Structures are given as C-alpha cells and as structure tokens.
Amino acid sequence: MKEKLVVIVGPTAVGKTKTSIELAKALHGEVISGDSMQVYRGMDIGTAKIKREEMEGVPHHLIDICDPIESFSVASFQSRVKPLITSINERGHIPFIVGGTGLYIKAVTHDYQFAKAPSDPRYREELEAFVEVHGVEELHKQLKEVDPLSYETIHPNNYRRVIRALEVYHLTKRTIGDFQEKQPDESPYDLVMIGLTMDRKVLYERINLRVDLMIKQGLIEEAERLYAQGVRDCQSVQAIGYKEIYEYIEGKVSKQEAIELLKRNSRRYAKRQLTWFRNKADVTWFDLTDGDTYEKIAEIKNFVEGKLF
C-alpha cells in the first residue's frame, strides 16, 4: 500500500497555517514545512514562521534546520522529506506538507529525478559574476528570451533558480520545464492535494496587513541583525522580506519605499504561486473568502477523510 500524504498549498497569507493545524489535530497529523525559507534559523518574522505556541501540540518538521549562510535546494528538500513521510506513516500519523514553494512540493509528490538535467559549474560561475556586476533583474531578463514560463514563475530575487534555468537551457537548448514534464505523472503516495484560495482583492489586503504586522513585530530589526552578522550575498536573504529591507539598510531606498516594495513583491509572488499550482498540480481548491473558517476547515477535513480512509 502507498504511504499517505496530504499537501496544503496556496498563496502567501491565505490561511494555510491555521488550516493545517486544525486538520492535523483532527486527523492525527504532523506538519512538514513546504516553505523554502523557513528552513533558516533566525529568519522568523520575514518568513511568517509559526511560533511554538501556535503549533498547539502538532509536531512540525523542516523548520530551523539550516544557518542563513547555507544553501538549500529543491533536491535537499526532497532528500529530507521522503524519509520523514515514511516515519510519520509508520507512527500511524498523517504527514501534511504545508507551504507555497511549488517546485519543492512537486519534487516530493512526484519523486522528481534531478540527475537528468546536466550542470556546468563554469557557466554557473559566469552567471554569478554577471549578477555581481549587473544585478538580478538583468539576469532575469535573459531568462525571458529563452524560457518565458520560468521567467513568469521564478522571482528575480531567487537568482539561483534563475541561474539553474539558464544553465539547463545553455546545455540542452531545452527549458527546465521540459525536464519537469518528463517526470513521473503518478505520485508514489496515496496523495491528497488541497489548495486554499480567496478573492484576489481580499488576499492582497491580507498581504498588505501582514507586511504592516511584520514591521511592527520587528522585521527591520531582524534584517539588521542578520546584516550585522554578515549574512549577505547568499541565497537566504534574496527572499522577499529580506531583499527589500536590505536595500533600506544599505541606503538604496527609504524605509517607506522598502515597505511598499515588500508589499508589491509579496502580492506579485502570491499571483505567481496561484499560477504555478493551477498549471502544475492536480489540486482540489477551497475558497476561504467568505463564511466561517471552521466550517470551511470541517468541509476540507471531510474531503480528506473521504480520500484517505
């Protein structure tokens, strides 16, 4: 029999954390973070990392496992998550992968084989040098010419993924999406994929409010501490929430400009997340715009139970 796996996806600020906690409590679940940034220690506010008291006793995995100067890839995520799914199932519990990093989640749910796409370290170094001189935006423009889909779905701040997409095309004249499409169609798991969505205007208002709350909670101070510790020019601080505040710290923009950039980039990221999951994953969607949240969670619970039990 296949191991059970529930995945909860959706854009930032839609309500994935609360939903996952309630479902995990009801279904004897354990949560695996599917967020590529929550793996980093000391990056709490900008990643909207769940607090210990918010877990309500539900075990959480893959949070605070790396230092901010370390790299963490989709292959790293896959290699850590697969044994976690097995061990959680062996305990008689249900693993819930919860997050918004689409490629990370799909790599697990469909057991991507990464060795199929070649690499060229020298070319990668050339692109990294290009970023140093011209910046991530100019590198991102190169991607538009050869791989428009990746251009739309990969944020320029995630320059390592931009580099990887360019590297694959450089070597094969095929897009990284071509390699992904040749991955297995069937999941090795007894899989249920839940998508959370809501009216775009309401979602954007929630994102703006979340950013304001992050600032009040000390996001700028968190970023200043990381900057003072020498956490610069590495993968972790290219993320939305830190990139913008670093520009303020370095005097490139005003505080208010940094906050507005963060709101804008977060809204754009949410739009890309929805596009990715709708195009790349077999998801059953639940709209959280209206009505009682707990009523909607009960509906999702009944759906999951009907699929797995």
Side-chain angles (χ1 to χ4, degrees):
M1 291 181 63
K2 291 182 177 181
E3 295 171 340
K4 291 179 171 62
L5 176 62
V6 178
V7 177
I8 301 175
V9 300
T12 185
V14 77
K16 296 187 295 294
T17 299
K18 179 63 177 175
T19 302
S20 66
I21 292 293
E22 295 302 321
L23 289 177
K25 288 194 300 183
L27 299 172
H28 305 288
E30 301 185 27
V31 172
I32 301 169
S33 171
D35 187 292
S36 61
M37 296 307 302
Q38 292 190 358
V39 297
Y40 291 111
R41 288 183 281 268
M43 301 182 72
D44 303 330
I45 299 170
T47 64
K49 194 178 293 177
I50 189 170
K51 299 181 178 68
R52 179 67 58 182
E53 60 271 21
E54 294 170 335
M55 295 179 185
E56 298 187 36
V58 174
H60 279 65
H61 306 275
L62 246 62
I63 294 174
D64 292 339
I65 61 170
C66 295
D67 289 327
I69 58 171
E70 296 179 70
S71 292
F72 191 80
S73 69
V74 60
S76 307
F77 179 80
Q78 184 197 60
S79 67
R80 285 176 176 264
V81 169
K82 288 168 68 176
L84 272 174
I85 293 171
T86 298
S87 63
I88 293 169
N89 271 275
E90 287 174 346
R91 287 194 287 275
H93 292 175
I94 303 296
F96 285 78
I97 299 180
V98 181
T101 308
L103 182 59
Y104 278 50
I105 291 169
K106 193 77 182 284
V108 171
T109 61
H110 287 72
D111 197 20
Y112 278 11
Q113 305 300 311
F114 292 101
K116 291 182 180 179
S119 62
D120 183 344
R122 181 172 294 180
Y123 180 71
R124 200 179 308 136
E125 288 174 5
E126 289 176 11
L127 294 180
E128 287 173 350
F130 180 90
V131 170
E132 288 292 324
V133 176
H134 302 284
V136 293
E137 295 284 352
E138 290 301 315
L139 183 77
H140 196 236
K141 287 178 184 176
Q142 290 188 28
L143 192 57
K144 187 176 185 179
E145 301 299 319
V146 299
D147 187 352
L149 181 59
S150 292
Y151 172 81
E152 289 295 330
T153 56
I154 302 175
H155 192 274
N157 287 351
N158 196 347
Y159 75 95
R160 292 186 185 278
R161 279 192 61 203
V162 175
I163 286 174
R164 179 59 178 152
L166 286 168
E167 178 188 28
V168 169
Y169 186 83
H170 169 74
L171 289 168
T172 67
K173 296 298 181 274
R174 293 160 60 196
T175 70
I176 200 164
D178 292 335
F179 283 91
Q180 292 168 8
E181 287 171 6
K182 294 183 183 302
Q183 301 289 352
D185 291 328
E186 185 178 343
S187 175
Y189 300 107
D190 187 1
L191 174 66
V192 182
M193 288 198 73
I194 301 300
L196 305 181
T197 186
M198 62 175 49
D199 175 80
R200 191 70 57 90
K201 183 180 178 182
V202 175
L203 178 64
Y204 287 176
E205 288 172 355
R206 285 170 63 97
I207 288 170
N208 290 341
L209 288 171
R210 173 183 272 194
V211 170
D212 289 335
L213 180 60
M214 285 178 171
I215 298 300
K216 289 179 182 177
Q217 289 174 333
L219 174 59
I220 292 174
E221 292 78 9
E222 181 175 83
E224 287 174 335
R225 187 190 72 249
L226 291 164
Y227 193 88
Q229 291 171 349
V231 182
R232 309 173 197 177
D233 302 318
C234 53
Q235 178 184 347
S236 62
V237 292
Q238 296 300 318
I240 296 171
Y242 297 93
K243 173 77 172 178
E244 297 84 359
I245 304 303
Y246 268 38
E247 290 185 358
Y248 162 63
I249 293 170
E250 293 172 347
K252 296 176 182 176
V253 297
S254 69
K255 179 179 175 181
Q256 193 56 41
E257 285 171 332
I259 293 170
E260 291 306 315
L261 276 172
L262 176 48
K263 289 179 179 179
R264 185 201 69 183
N265 291 343
S266 297
R267 294 191 301 267
R268 289 179 175 177
Y269 178 55
K271 184 178 179 181
R272 285 196 303 276
Q273 286 175 303
L274 283 167
T275 299
W276 199 99
F277 286 118
R278 284 178 175 147
N279 291 339
K280 296 281 189 179
D282 184 15
V283 176
T284 300
W285 292 94
F286 292 85
D287 194 307
L288 302 185
T289 306
D290 301 311
D292 181 84
T293 301
Y294 288 97
E295 188 177 297
K296 184 64 69 172
I297 290 172
E299 180 186 343
I300 298 170
K301 171 182 170 288
N302 290 336
F303 175 80
V304 173
E305 285 180 321
K307 290 288 187 180
L308 290 184
F309 303 105

